[in-house]
Amino acid sequence: MSKADVKPTTYDVLRELGVDRRSFLKFCTMAAAALGLDASAVGKVVEALEKKPRIPVIWLHGLECTCCSESFIRSSHPIAQDVVLNMISLDYDDTLQAAAGFQVEEIRKRIMKEYPGQYILAVEGNAPTKDGGVYCTVGGQTFLEILRETAEQAKAVVAWGSCASNGCVQAAHPNPTGAKPVHKLIDGKPVINVPGCPPIGEVMTGLLTYILTFDRLPDLDRIGRPKMFYAQRLHDKCFRRAFFDAGQFVENWDDEGARKGWCLYKMGCRGPSTYNSCATFKWNNGVSWPIGSGHGCIGCSEANFWDNGPFYERLSTVPLPGVDSTPDQIGKVAAIGAGAGVAAHFASFLVRRTMSKDKPDESHVSADRD
Amino acid sequence: MATRVQALDVADVAARPHRYFRRMYVWQWPIRVFHWINAICVTVLFSTGLYIASPILAPAGEPYTHFVMARVRQIHFIFAFLFVVNFLWRIYWFWMGNNYARSGFPFVWRRQWWRDLFRQVGDYLRLKRGHVHLGHNALGGLSYTIFVIALGWAQIFTGLSLYSETVPSGFWGRLVGWVIPLLGGSFQTRMWHHLFAWGFVFFAILHVYIVFYDGQQYKNGLVTAIVSGEKFYQEGDIDHDTWLS
Amino acid sequence: MSTQRVVVDPITRIEGHLRIEAMLDERGVIKDAMSTGTMWRGIEIILKGRDPRDAWAFTERICGVCTTVHALASVRCVENALGITVPENAEIIRNIMFLTQYVQDHVIHFYHLHALDWVDVVSALKADPAATAALAQAVSPSWPTASPGYFRDVATTLTKFVQSGQLGIFQNAYWGHPAYKLPPEANLMAVAHYLEALKWQKEIIKIHTIFGGKNPHPNYVVGGMPCSIDLNGDNCINIERLNYVKGLIEDATRIIEGLYLPDLFAVASFYTEWAGIGAGIGNYMAYGDVPQNGIGDVSKLRFPRGIVLGRNLSEVHPLDLSDASQITEEISHSWYSYPGGQQALHPFDGVTEPHYTGPKPPYEHLDENGQYSWLKAPRWKGNAMEVGPLARLLVGYAAGNTEIREVVNEALGRLKVPATALFSTLGRTAARGLESRLAVHWLMAEYEHLVANLKAGITGTADTSRWDPATWPAEAKGFGFTEAPRGSLGHWVHIQNGKIANYQAIVPSTWNASPKDAKGQHGAYEAALLGTPMADASKPVEILRTIHSFDPCLACASHVLGPDGRVLAEVTVR
Ligand code: SF4
C-alpha cells in the first residue's frame, strides 16, 4: 500500500478545515491553472483530490456456510459497520451486496481493472476442483476460475476461516468435490490464513485494521497465520489448566467435575493442539468460549480437524487403509502377539529338551560355517 | 571352509570349562551404560506416557493442592531428554567404539548379511544352536536398528515436536516443528507417538526372551554380558563375525 | 410470442449460491422461472463411517447463517435412534437457543438481507432529519434514539460515504428504480435502523455464547447440553449467567416490539400491492417445534405441526414423518442420477450420485427442460410445498392456535388487509416479523421455566446413560426434526456398529428452491415468481423481492445427500 493511500485526501483535510465544496472546486481550478493545465483537466484534479483512500476489498464466497461473514458482523471492536463504511471499501460481497446478477459481476471486473495491485481479495470458502469445478459456479463461471482471475491483480489475499485456509468440512474425507484451500490454488501472492470455523469476529476485523492502520501485513507464522492471533495454544492459556495440571478431569457430561469446571481433556478437548485466540479474547465480545461453556475445544482452526477421529476421544484411529483401531488397541494386540509367540517358542523349546534327553543332543551342533 | 562342531560332552565341559569357553570383552562400558539408561528411560517414558494419554487418578479438592498430571508430564520430559542425550551418545559410540559397537548395522548390500539373517531366523524357529556370534547376529542387529534406532528417532522427532508446541517459534519449534505438518497436524503426530511407543513394548518382550533363550542355547553368557561386557565362546566359534569389518 | 430471458446470478444477500432465470412475456410479466442451486458440497457423503455423536458438528457447518438448527436436528435424530430422552433443562436451553436464533436471524434478514429491496439508500440523502425524527417518533414511540440530531448524524455519515465515490456494497444497485416507493424520510429512518440492527444482532446472539460457547456454531451434545448448571458454582451456569440471558431477552423484546415490528408495518404500508404478488404454490407445511413436553410429544409444540393445502385455512392435514410414503425426492430436473433411472425416492432410500449434465462453465443459460440444479425436488404426497415462517403461521392459524391467531389477526387489522393477503411476498416478509414477536415472548417463558426448575432443585443438563458407544445397539435408526428459521428441517440417521451408515437431511431451502418435478410442478421460488410484472428487465428488483421474502439459504439446500442407495427401511418417530 502506498503511503498516500492511508492518509486522508486533500479534500478530506479541506473539509475538515471548514472549506465547503464550492470553495473546494475553486481551489481545484486554481491548482489546475497553477500547474499550467487547461480547463478540461479540472475535472481530473477534482477527482484526484477527492478520491477516497479506502482500500477496495473484494470478498468472494465459494464452498462455505457463510459463518465467517456472520462472525465478522459479530465483531464488537471495531464493529463491522465501522470497518465497512469507514475503513475499507467493500466493493464486492455476495452476502451483503445491494445489487445482484450481472451488476455485481461487473463491479468485480471493474475493481480489478481500476485498482490493479491495490485491492485486497478476501476469500470465504474454498473451490471445488473435481469435474472441472462444476460444484460451485457464480454467474455461470466456476468459482475456481473466478478465484484465480481475481487473485491475479490482488495486493494480498486473505483466506477467511478454515474453508479457505485449510479446507474444512467439505474437504474432510472423502472430499467428494475435491475442495482445496486457497493457498493451494493460487501462487505468487501473499496469502494470510485466518483459520477457525469461523474465526473470532475481532480477529477478522483486527487483521483488516492492522493492515490499514500500520500499512503493512502482519507477521505470519510458518503456515501463514498472523502471529498476533495464532501464536499459542488454547491449552496454555486455558482457565481450566490448573485442573489439568492437578489431574482433575471431567469424566462425563454434567458430572461433579463438570460442575466444578474441571479440565475437559478426557472429554476429547483439542485445546492442547489448537492455536487460536479463544482463550484470550473469547467469543462475542468476551462473553464465553467453548471450553468456558463446558464443551471441549473441537480444534476448528487446525488443519484436518474433522478427520482427527471422534471429537470426544483424545486418540484418533490409525489412518492406515483397512485399520480402524486406536494406537492402544493395536499396541495391545501386538504385545499380546509377541507374548504368545514367546510362550509358544518357549513351550516347544521345553518339549524339545525333554525329548532330546533320550537322544544325542543335536541342538548343539552348529550349522555350516563359512 | 565349513567345519562341524562336535556335540558337547557335558561332563567334559563341567570338568574343563576353560577348554570350551573362552572370554572376550565385547560390550564396552559406554554400550552397557547406554543399554541400561535406555531401558530405564523407555520404561519410565512408556508408563508416564500411558498416564498422560489417559489420566486415571482424580484427586479431590482444590487444584492448587495437587500437581499430579503436571508432575507426570515433567517426569516424562526429564526422561525424554535423558533418552535423547543417551541416544546421541550411543550414535557417537557407533564410530568410536570397537567393532562390536557397529555389529548391529544392517549391511543390506552384503549377501552374507542376508544369509546370516535367514539362517538366524531358521535357527530360532528350529530351536537349533546354530551359528554363534560375539557381536550382534543379523536378526538381532536388524531388530535393534528398527526398534531401538529407527523407533528412537521417530519418538525423538514426534516427541520433541509435540514438546515444541508450547512455543512453536522457539528453539525446538524451529528444530523439529516441521514434523507436525508433515504428519498431518498435531493430533496425528500425537497418535503416531503413541503408536510407536507400543513398538518398545513389543520389542522388549521379544528382546528379553531371546536374550535368555540365546544365552541358554549358546551358553555364551549373553545375559551377564550386558553387565560385565564379556561374552563366552567355544573354540572355533569366533571367526564368523568377520563380515562385520 | 417474444420471450425475454432474465438471468440473475448471483442472487446476493442470501446464504450460498443461487441462480434465477426468468422468462418474460411481451408485457414484461414473468411466465416461467428456473431456480438453480449452483453449489454442492456433499456433507452427507462425508458423514458416513463417523461417530454419530460428532454428526451435529458436521451438519451444523451446513449453514453458518441459520447456525445451530442443523446441530439441533442432528442431536435429536441421534438421540431418537439411541432412545435417549434429554433432561428437561437441556430441552429448555435448546429451546432458548433455538428461539434466540429466530430473533437474530429474522432481524438480520429483514434489515440486512431484505430491506434494500424496499429501501432506497440514495433517496435517504434527500431526507429532512427533523421530519424523519417526527416520522420515527410516530412509527415507534417507544424507541429511544429518534431525535433530529441523531438522524442528522446518520444522514451525514451516509452523505460522506456516498460522496466518497466508493459506494462499496451499495454500488451498481437499483437506486431510483420506480419500484422504490418510500419517501426520503422513511428511507433515512430505515437506513438508521439498518445500522442499529447491525449493532444489536451481535448482542442477542450472546445467549448462544453463554450456553454453547460461541456463535456462529455453538456446541451441542448428544444427550443434553454441555453447559452444566451449579447455582453455587463459579465455573458454569450460575446466577450471573442467567441474569445475562434475561437481560438479553429483555433487550430483544424491546428491539422486536420497538423497532422491527414498527418498521415492518411502516414499510409494508407503502407496498400493499405486494400482498397480491408472489403467492406461489399455496401449499404450506410445518413439522412444528419448541417442545413443551419433550420432543417426542408432537401434540405439545409451540409451533404446531401440519399441512395446509391449496390455501385452505379451514383444514389442517396431518403430517406423519414416520410414514415412508409421504415424502419423496425427485430428480428429473436435478444433476443427480438414481439407480435404474428412477425419478423419485423416499429419503430413507435416498441415493445421491452427482451427475452433472449442465453446460460446461462458463455458460450463459441453463435449459429449463433439462436438468438444471444441484437441488432435488422434495414433494409431500406428490405436492410441492412451501415451508418457512409463513407456513408455520398459517398452519398454526389454521390449527386454531390462540397465540398465533392473536398476532396474525392484530397484524391484519393494522395493515387493513384480509387474511388472503398473507399468501404473498409481503405475507412472507410480515410472517417473519410476527414470528419474532412470538419468539421473544416464548423466550421469556422458557427462561422462566428454567429458573423455576432450578428453584425446585432440578439442575441436570445431560443424560449420559447412552454416551458410551458400548451401550448402543448394533443397529439403530432415528429421525430428528426442527423448524429452522427458513422452515421444516429433517435429519435421518442409520447407525451401524457405532458408526454412521447413512445420513440424510431434507432442508427448508430444498423445499422452497426446488426445481420442477417430473409432472412439471414448480418449486416454491419458481411458482412465486410467476405472474410478477417487471418494470425493467435489467434491474431485477421484483425478482429479488420475492426470492428474498423466502430468505434463501443455499448452502443448506445443496449440502445433499447420501451416496450409496442404502435403504433406511423404517424410521422410528416418537
Ligand atoms: S480444558 Fe482443554 S484446553 Fe483447557 S486445560 Fe483442559 S485440555 Fe487444556
Side-chain angles (χ1 to χ4, degrees):
Chain A
M1 190 181 323
S2 74
K3 276 277 177 278
D5 278 355
V6 283
K7 279 194 258 160
T9 63
T10 314
Y11 180 52
D12 288 347
V13 175
L14 292 174
R15 286 284 296 219
E16 230 141 88
L17 294 173
V19 177
D20 63 12
R21 185 161 176 88
R22 185 190 301 217
S23 317
F24 171 66
L25 292 177
K26 228 154 117 197
F27 168 78
C28 293
T29 319
M30 278 158 54
L35 292 168
L37 303 171
D38 66 15
S40 66
V42 172
K44 289 223 172 76
V45 174
V46 174
E47 198 188 303
L49 295 182
E50 239 182 8
K51 192 131 189 113
K52 285 287 275 184
R54 284 186 293 132
I55 185 164
V57 173
I58 296 181
W59 188 314
L60 295 179
H61 296 254
L63 290 183
E64 41 90 311
C65 76
T66 317
C67 72
C68 299
S69 292
E70 288 282 343
S71 192
F72 184 75
I73 63 173
R74 306 277 193 277
S75 168
S76 61
H77 44 272
I79 56 175
Q81 159 190 345
D82 275 348
V83 178
V84 173
L85 295 186
N86 302 333
M87 299 184 194
I88 60 169
S89 180
L90 184 58
D91 289 305
Y92 179 103
D93 178 355
D94 4 351
T95 303
L96 292 173
Q97 199 96 33
F102 71 90
Q103 281 99 344
V104 227
E105 289 308 296
E106 192 272 317
I107 296 169
R108 186 172 60 83
K109 302 228 162 82
R110 182 160 49 75
I111 297 293
M112 285 160 56
K113 216 163 74 220
E114 282 178 13
Y115 296 91
Q118 293 166 46
Y119 60 88
I120 290 181
L121 170 61
V123 187
E124 182 173 351
N126 53 24
T129 57
K130 228 165 98 179
D131 302 326
V134 294
Y135 299 104
C136 185
T137 61
V138 179
Q141 217 183 340
T142 65
F143 180 70
L144 182 60
E145 204 181 308
I146 292 177
L147 174 65
R148 288 195 168 133
E149 170 185 303
T150 319
E152 206 133 279
Q153 293 292 341
K155 172 189 171 64
V157 180
V158 177
W160 286 142
S162 289
C163 290
S165 49
N166 56 43
C168 209
V169 68
Q170 57 271 17
H173 181 79
N175 194 351
T177 58
K180 287 205 177 125
V182 172
H183 63 90
K184 292 206 176 134
L185 298 171
I186 57 177
D187 34 39
K189 289 285 161 197
V191 177
I192 304 171
N193 286 328
V194 191
C197 187
I200 300 173
E202 286 80 12
V203 163
M204 301 176 78
T205 53
L207 173 72
L208 287 183
T209 43
Y210 181 102
I211 298 175
L212 300 175
T213 312
F214 303 121
D215 193 17
R216 63 171 98 105
L217 302 181
D219 283 358
L220 304 180
D221 69 3
R222 189 163 47 211
I223 49 176
R225 302 176 296 193
K227 281 186 183 161
M228 55 186 167
F229 301 129
Y230 297 94
Q232 258 197 320
R233 304 180 298 171
L234 305 192
H235 184 58
D236 293 322
K237 299 178 283 187
C238 177
F239 76 105
R240 298 188 191 234
R241 182 61 185 264
F243 299 104
F244 174 88
D245 284 339
Q248 295 175 312
F249 300 99
V250 174
E251 303 282 341
N252 214 335
W253 304 114
D254 203 24
D255 67 1
E256 181 74 15
R259 292 175 187 213
K260 286 187 178 151
W262 286 6
C263 170
L264 292 160
Y265 181 75
K266 290 182 85 173
M267 300 311 288
C269 179
R270 302 302 201 241
S273 51
T274 303
Y275 294 84
N276 208 334
S277 297
C278 306
T280 11
F281 311 162
K282 304 191 178 154
W283 279 80
N284 308 94
N285 201 15
V287 171
S288 185
W289 56 305
I291 292 171
S293 290
H295 194 284
C297 164
I298 65 169
C300 73
S301 54
E302 291 300 307
N304 312 325
F305 76 100
W306 295 106
D307 290 332
N308 283 337
F311 289 126
Y312 305 102
E313 303 288 345
R314 280 292 307 165
L315 274 180
S316 57
T317 55
V318 179
L320 295 176
V323 179
D324 190 24
S325 326
T326 62
D328 279 339
Q329 289 162 334
I330 292 178
K332 279 175 197 153
V333 168
I336 291 170
V342 162
H345 193 267
F346 187 59
S348 44
F349 172 70
L350 289 181
V351 170
R352 182 71 156 265
R353 227 163 77 141
T354 337
M355 281 168 27
S356 66
K357 287 245 165 82
D358 320 320
K359 287 193 215 153
D361 187 355
E362 282 290 314
S363 66
H364 281 205
V365 178
S366 79
D368 286 349
R369 207 177 286 166
D370 301 297
Chain B
M1 199 193 72
T3 54
R4 289 184 72 79
V5 172
Q6 294 304 309
L8 279 184
D9 177 343
V10 180
D12 196 40
V13 171
R16 296 180 296 173
H18 58 274
R19 208 194 136 209
Y20 293 90
F21 296 107
R22 303 275 163 83
R23 285 206 291 199
M24 171 71 91
Y25 187 58
V26 175
W27 306 127
Q28 294 161 297
W29 69 266
I31 300 287
R32 279 143 41 214
V33 169
F34 162 77
H35 173 273
W36 288 113
I37 293 185
N38 203 42
I40 293 167
C41 282
V42 167
T43 314
V44 173
L45 287 170
F46 185 78
S47 42
T48 51
L50 276 190
Y51 179 83
I52 293 167
S54 175
I56 34 168
L57 310 170
E62 288 300 311
Y64 70 88
T65 54
H66 306 286
F67 213 50
V68 183
M69 182 68 155
R71 202 61 87 204
V72 173
R73 290 175 72 238
Q74 192 180 34
I75 295 169
H76 193 80
F77 297 149
I78 290 171
F79 278 83
F81 279 110
L82 186 58
F83 180 87
V84 173
V85 172
N86 190 42
F87 190 82
L88 296 177
W89 167 250
R90 175 64 182 88
I91 286 170
Y92 168 76
W93 202 254
F94 180 84
W95 281 285
M96 301 313 288
N98 62 16
N99 260 349
Y100 299 111
R102 292 180 280 276
S103 62
F105 194 81
F107 295 91
V108 288
W109 59 90
R110 296 190 185 163
R111 284 186 55 207
Q112 225 169 347
W113 183 84
W114 284 102
R115 209 172 319 154
D116 190 56
L117 179 70
F118 288 116
R119 187 158 44 202
Q120 190 65 53
V121 173
D123 287 348
Y124 280 149
L125 289 180
R126 287 178 293 141
L127 305 167
K128 285 261 164 74
R129 175 160 191 274
H131 217 52
V132 178
H133 299 75
L134 282 187
H136 297 302
N137 64 56
L139 180 63
L142 181 66
S143 66
Y144 298 137
T145 308
I146 293 174
F147 289 104
V148 178
I149 304 300
L151 212 55
W153 276 125
Q155 289 303 70
I156 288 172
F157 278 109
T158 53
L160 285 180
S161 64
L162 289 169
Y163 181 74
S164 80
E165 285 192 296
T166 318
V167 194
S169 56
F171 172 75
W172 295 111
R174 285 202 298 271
L175 193 70
V176 289
W178 48 269
V179 173
I180 293 176
L182 187 78
L183 293 178
S186 158
F187 219 72
Q188 297 299 321
T189 309
R190 189 173 179 277
M191 189 277 301
W192 288 115
H193 190 69
H194 197 98
L195 181 65
F196 294 155
W198 282 99
F200 289 114
V201 176
F202 178 75
F203 167 76
I205 293 172
L206 296 177
H207 171 69
V208 171
Y209 173 70
I210 290 282
V211 164
F212 280 98
Y213 168 77
D214 206 77
Q216 167 67 28
Q217 277 287 60
Y218 291 66
K219 302 278 190 276
N220 55 6
L222 194 58
V223 179
T224 50
I226 201 60
V227 178
S228 67
E230 288 180 328
K231 279 176 89 171
F232 301 102
Y233 64 98
Q234 292 171 40
E235 274 180 349
D237 264 356
I238 187 102
D239 284 332
H240 62 272
D241 277 333
T242 46
W243 55 270
L244 279 178
S245 45
Chain C
M1 189 171 65
S2 76
T3 299
Q4 197 183 356
R5 190 186 273 257
V6 179
V7 179
V8 192
D9 180 6
I11 294 270
T12 49
R13 282 178 281 128
I14 63 164
E15 198 301 315
H17 298 284
L18 175 69
R19 173 190 181 94
I20 294 288
E21 291 191 28
M23 277 53 86
L24 309 187
D25 66 14
E26 59 284 355
R27 292 169 297 133
V29 174
I30 298 175
K31 62 175 180 148
D32 198 4
M34 233 198 301
S35 151
T36 301
T38 59
M39 72 187 267
W40 181 76
R41 292 192 294 161
I43 306 270
E44 284 154 325
I45 294 179
I46 292 166
L47 269 170
K48 275 178 62 94
R50 298 189 187 256
D51 189 322
R53 296 172 302 174
D54 283 4
W56 67 263
F58 285 81
T59 58
E60 192 170 43
R61 268 70 183 181
I62 287 173
C63 182
V65 174
C66 50
T67 176
T68 169
V69 294
H70 284 283
L72 180 57
S74 179
V75 289
R76 279 181 180 166
C77 133
V78 174
E79 284 155 5
N80 178 255
L82 300 176
I84 299 170
T85 309
V86 304
E88 196 178 15
N89 287 347
E91 197 86 88
I92 296 173
I93 293 173
R94 287 177 182 183
N95 283 346
I96 292 177
M97 291 175 72
F98 170 88
L99 291 165
T100 300
Q101 181 62 27
Y102 263 47
V103 179
Q104 193 260 3
D105 206 349
H106 287 351
V107 167
I108 288 216
H109 177 261
F110 180 72
Y111 285 103
H112 309 114
L113 303 180
H114 201 18
L116 299 180
D117 299 334
W118 313 100
V119 172
D120 185 338
V121 177
V122 173
S123 139
L125 294 174
K126 293 194 270 266
D128 168 24
T132 311
L135 171 71
Q137 280 158 18
V139 167
S140 40
S142 70
W143 195 247
T145 47
S147 69
Y150 166 74
F151 285 108
R152 193 170 303 116
D153 274 359
V154 175
T156 312
T157 312
L158 194 62
T159 311
K160 233 178 92 191
F161 182 77
V162 171
Q163 278 180 352
S164 76
Q166 284 183 296
L167 283 177
I169 51 171
F170 300 119
Q171 64 194 300
N172 266 20
Y174 316 113
W175 315 129
H177 189 286
Y180 285 109
K181 297 271 175 63
L182 298 184
E185 282 73 25
N187 282 322
L188 179 59
M189 181 180 81
V191 169
H193 293 171
Y194 177 104
L195 299 176
E196 286 212 31
L198 191 57
K199 268 188 238 167
W200 169 80
Q201 54 80 27
K202 68 184 180 8
E203 301 302 317
I204 175 70
I205 212 65
K206 287 175 181 168
I207 294 178
H208 280 190
T209 320
I210 289 168
F211 291 121
K214 75 199 250 272
N215 176 282
H217 299 330
N219 294 312
Y220 282 75
V221 143
V222 165
M225 288 305 287
C227 51
S228 291
I229 303 174
D230 183 350
L231 297 183
N232 295 304
D234 57 352
N235 277 336
C236 51
I237 302 295
N238 57 17
I239 190 69
E240 182 271 341
R241 300 274 98 178
L242 292 171
N243 285 341
Y244 206 155
V245 171
K246 187 174 185 209
L248 292 168
I249 296 174
E250 284 164 355
D251 280 351
T253 314
R254 273 193 287 277
I255 274 265
I256 300 301
E257 298 281 359
L259 200 69
Y260 181 12
L261 285 170
D263 282 354
L264 174 66
F265 287 119
V267 172
S269 62
F270 287 94
Y271 289 105
T272 40
E273 80 273 18
W274 281 86
I277 300 175
I281 38 192
N283 299 332
Y284 301 92
M285 178 175 78
Y287 292 170
D289 208 327
V290 197
Q292 297 303 295
N293 184 29
I295 194 68
D297 185 354
V298 291
S299 68
K300 296 242 165 35
L301 302 173
R302 286 194 194 264
F303 281 120
R305 166 179 292 191
I307 289 206
V308 166
L309 277 184
R311 290 172 214 172
N312 177 5
L313 289 182
S314 57
E315 191 183 359
V316 179
H317 299 265
L319 167 67
D320 186 356
L321 294 168
S322 61
D323 179 353
S325 71
Q326 294 203 353
I327 294 169
T328 53
E329 285 198 296
E330 309 196 1
I331 53 156
S332 47
H333 289 279
S334 316
W335 289 313
Y336 299 99
S337 58
Y338 280 163
Q342 283 161 284
Q343 290 302 317
L345 286 178
H346 187 272
F348 302 156
D349 315 333
V351 177
T352 296
E353 192 57 48
H355 180 62
Y356 185 74
T357 56
K360 189 172 155 13
Y363 52 77
E364 292 288 317
H365 294 305
L366 296 168
D367 177 10
E368 66 267 36
N369 298 317
Q371 300 180 320
Y372 61 83
S373 183
W374 283 118
L375 310 188
K376 293 180 176 181
R379 296 292 183 259
W380 178 77
K381 292 189 174 171
N383 294 298
M385 287 286 155
E386 175 178 336
V387 296
L390 179 60
R392 280 191 289 267
L393 288 196
L394 289 177
V395 168
Y397 193 88
N401 179 301
T402 40
E403 278 177 294
I404 292 177
R405 267 183 174 257
E406 208 172 287
V407 295
V408 172
N409 285 335
E410 197 211 309
L412 293 174
R414 243 158 107 174
L415 285 171
K416 301 191 190 60
V417 288
T420 50
L422 290 168
F423 309 119
S424 67
T425 295
L426 194 63
R428 233 169 260 126
T429 300
R432 211 165 272 112
L434 303 182
E435 190 170 77
S436 305
R437 193 174 187 192
L438 290 168
V440 282
H441 290 121
W442 290 345
L443 259 176
M444 195 47 102
E446 296 286 336
Y447 171 80
E448 275 159 7
H449 191 177
L450 178 65
V451 170
N453 273 1
L454 299 180
K455 202 171 169 191
I458 306 167
T459 59
T461 55
D463 172 3
T464 54
S465 58
R466 289 288 180 110
W467 177 253
D468 185 356
T471 61
W472 301 349
E475 188 89 17
K477 287 161 189 164
F479 171 75
F481 66 91
T482 181
E483 275 293 332
R486 290 155 187 82
S488 310
L489 168 65
H491 283 205
W492 288 260
V493 71
H494 178 186
I495 301 168
Q496 240 172 0
N497 302 321
K499 296 272 162 64
I500 295 174
N502 201 7
Y503 202 98
Q504 303 278 324
I506 301 189
V507 308
S509 294
T510 313
W511 286 97
N512 286 341
S514 81
K516 288 183 285 190
D517 55 28
K519 285 188 269 174
Q521 292 186 95
H522 284 291
Y525 290 0
E526 294 174 344
L529 287 174
L530 302 184
T532 305
M534 286 188 68
D536 178 350
S538 69
K539 295 187 175 144
V541 183
E542 296 88 349
I543 293 181
L544 291 178
R545 283 181 178 167
T546 295
I547 295 299
H548 283 153
S549 75
F550 285 96
D551 193 3
C553 183
L554 268 289
C556 280
S558 59
H559 64 286
V560 292
L561 286 164
D564 68 345
R566 188 182 297 284
V567 176
L568 278 172
E570 64 186 63
V571 132
T572 358
V573 176
R574 293 171 311 132

